[in-house]
Amino acid sequence: MRRTLKISLDFLAGPLRKDEFIDGETRTGIPVIDNDAALQALNDQICELYSSYYEFDSHDQACWSNEEQERADKPLMLELLGRLNARIAELSDGSFAVDDQETPRVEAL
């Protein structure tokens, strides 16, 4: 069965959507992706950048997203997502497809 690797950002969740609990950790369920240290480091770096846009008890809101900063960081985020996608392409063994929902969203900012 061919799997789909979803690339989608959320607060404190990197772009590699990890929705399986395996060996006590959340994973994508695609071993070639889960076991690549370089890819996981990029995932963590992107997660940190994206999560930095969120502020709590700020601007009279419980949770506020700094969209202005996200737009300012657009070139950096696109560079990181490009590197992430390039590494995924290097690792591709035909066992999975990629559903990148973030690169088009960030390009449209």
Side-chain angles (χ1 to χ4, degrees), residues 8-14 17 47-48 50-56 63:
S8 175
L9 286 167
D10 201 357
F11 179 69
L12 295 181
R17 188 56 63 191
C47 176
E48 186 175 314
Y50 183 77
S51 295
S52 74
Y53 303 139
Y54 287 87
E55 297 177 17
F56 296 93
C63 180

Side-chain angles (χ1 to χ4, degrees), residues 23-66:
D23 298 328
E25 294 183 24
T26 55
R27 298 178 182 259
T28 66
I30 304 168
V32 69
I33 298 296
D34 291 331
N35 297 326
D36 187 75
L39 190 59
Q40 296 307 315
L42 269 171
N43 185 65
D44 293 345
Q45 187 177 3
I46 294 168
C47 176
E48 186 175 314
L49 178 62
Y50 183 77
S51 295
S52 74
Y53 303 139
Y54 287 87
E55 297 177 17
F56 296 93
D57 296 322
S58 178
H59 296 81
D60 296 321
Q61 297 178 28
C63 180
W64 178 75
S65 177
N66 189 338

Side-chain angles (χ1 to χ4, degrees), residues 2-8 14-18 28 30-43 46 80-103:
R2 192 163 187 211
R3 310 223 22 166
T4 298
L5 176 63
K6 184 176 178 183
I7 299 175
S8 175
L16 301 176
R17 188 56 63 191
K18 298 178 179 185
T28 66
I30 304 168
V32 69
I33 298 296
D34 291 331
N35 297 326
D36 187 75
L39 190 59
Q40 296 307 315
L42 269 171
N43 185 65
I46 294 168
L80 292 171
L81 288 169
R83 289 175 39 206
L84 181 91
N85 278 303
R87 184 62 184 155
I88 290 168
E90 288 174 14
L91 297 171
S92 182
D93 59 3
S95 68
F96 62 92
V98 178
D99 177 13
D100 180 359
Q101 298 178 359
E102 284 306 315
T103 300

